[in-house]
Amino acid sequence: VSVKNAIDGYTLRFENRGKKADSVKLAIDEKQRELHKGQDRVRLLEDLEKNMEGYFGAVKAVMKESGRGALRGIYGPVSQLITVKDKYSAAIETALGAAVQNIVVDNETDAKRAMGFLKEHRAGRATFLPITAIKGRVLSEQGLDDQYGFVSIASDLVSYDNKYSEIIRWLLGRTAVAEDIDSAIAIAKKYSYRFRIVTLDGQVINAGGSMTGGSMKKKENTYFGRRKEIADLYAREAEGEKALALCRTRRKEQEAHCDALAEEVSRERE
């Protein structure tokens, strides 16, 4: 009887361990599916970035020619030279408008050469920003920092290499960012509509008082949103790999327990 009880006990423990091993295997399969799905999404987004999906044909043409080494002094469109936190991306992309595709170049000669290329190949038009020519200005309105709902000057909400500082100030230094449209209206009135204000959700009060607003594009279809999603997916992939490795370790442990219990059952039956 004691032998039978021992065998029954080992068998029950073996079955429980088996069930745990099966659940770990299911977790591994799920993690693998999630990883593959994320990797497919990354490949899609990186292809869109590589092909400069959403950019003007002239911008693509210049960047392609620069990549071949045929055009010198080309740093790239503004969108690729700055980074911005997710909470500010709608405001900054709105503040830049079409200038997000302006191409930063080293000097006027480089701009002239690129414009000549576009003209010769009838590849369209583009705007170039020579570092040696652009000089920026920043808003300095008294008491602006203390206004309710004021967030910052737009140029202070982006990160970039110091060599682009004048260009960034020229593009964004005279645009204020407010939390919402009510705050923006109040600030605009106080300062007699002297400068442009953009809200965190992308609404605009232009200098002079005109207003622009409505719905925004989905984040994955924006210049900054696409890059942000790629970075997030890589981060999630790293976390997923760690979780998968942990699941595989646990599965080996469960399998080792099952093997040990199977040996115990065999010995008791002998």
Side-chain angles (χ1 to χ4, degrees):
V1 177
S2 61
V3 172
K4 182 179 182 302
N5 288 340
I7 291 174
D8 289 344
Y10 283 130
T11 301
L12 182 61
R13 287 165 61 193
F14 179 81
E15 288 174 351
N16 288 336
R17 288 289 183 180
K19 289 176 181 177
K20 288 181 180 179
D22 289 342
S23 68
V24 171
K25 182 181 182 303
L26 289 173
I28 290 174
D29 291 342
E30 179 61 26
K31 290 293 181 186
Q32 286 178 325
R33 280 194 293 272
E34 289 176 6
L35 277 174
H36 292 154
K37 185 178 178 181
Q39 289 164 349
D40 289 343
R41 179 67 176 165
V42 166
R43 280 193 291 271
L44 171 64
L45 292 171
E46 287 185 331
D47 282 344
L48 293 176
E49 278 290 283
K50 182 179 178 182
N51 297 324
M52 299 188 73
E53 188 69 26
Y55 288 83
F56 300 140
V59 176
K60 291 181 183 180
V62 168
M63 294 310 299
K64 184 176 181 181
E65 197 72 359
S66 172
R68 295 198 309 112
L71 288 175
R72 297 191 302 275
I74 307 293
Y75 293 113
V78 171
S79 62
Q80 295 182 355
L81 303 179
I82 63 177
T83 56
V84 57
K85 290 181 179 178
D86 193 40
K87 65 186 289 188
Y88 303 129
S89 61
I92 297 303
E93 192 157 327
T94 300
L96 286 169
V100 77
Q101 296 199 39
N102 287 1
I103 300 171
V104 177
V105 297
D106 196 28
N107 54 53
E108 294 94 320
T109 301
D110 297 324
K112 177 183 173 183
R113 189 181 299 113
M115 290 163 64
F117 160 76
L118 291 174
K119 183 177 180 181
E120 180 183 351
H121 292 83
R122 296 184 178 180
R125 296 166 67 86
T127 298
F128 298 89
L129 307 177
I131 290 176
T132 53
I134 302 292
K135 302 297 177 188
R137 289 188 301 142
V138 178
L139 273 176
S140 57
E141 296 284 352
Q142 188 174 1
L144 183 57
D145 289 353
D146 300 323
Q147 297 304 306
Y148 179 79
F150 173 77
V151 175
S152 180
I153 302 300
S155 56
D156 292 336
L157 297 178
V158 296
S159 301
Y160 49 88
D161 189 296
N162 262 349
K163 66 185 173 186
Y164 307 129
S165 58
E166 290 295 335
I167 286 171
I168 301 307
R169 282 197 286 264
W170 184 74
L171 290 169
L172 297 171
R174 294 194 58 77
T175 298
V177 177
E179 289 183 3
D180 52 45
I181 192 63
D182 292 327
S183 301
I185 290 171
I187 294 170
K189 284 181 178 179
K190 181 174 179 60
Y191 291 93
S192 303
Y193 303 96
R194 287 196 296 270
F195 50 87
R196 187 170 57 150
I197 304 173
V198 176
T199 66
L200 291 177
D201 65 349
Q203 314 307 308
V204 185
I205 299 180
N206 298 293
S210 64
M211 300 171 68
T212 305
S215 63
M216 295 286 291
K217 291 186 291 185
K218 290 182 179 180
K219 284 187 177 180
E220 62 266 28
N221 295 326
T222 66
Y223 300 102
F224 304 127
R226 193 160 62 203
R227 285 160 51 196
K228 174 71 166 53
E229 186 179 353
I230 289 172
D232 288 346
L233 284 168
Y234 272 122
R236 286 206 293 271
E237 182 179 348
E239 291 174 1
E241 291 286 3
K242 288 180 183 178
L244 189 58
L246 180 60
C247 285
R248 285 170 173 157
T249 299
R250 286 176 177 168
R251 183 181 182 185
K252 287 180 180 178
E253 290 172 353
Q254 295 296 338
E255 288 175 344
H257 281 301
C258 286
D259 291 342
L261 287 169
E263 288 180 9
E264 293 287 344
V265 170
S266 296
R267 279 199 296 270
E268 289 291 340
R269 283 174 173 167
E270 289 175 357

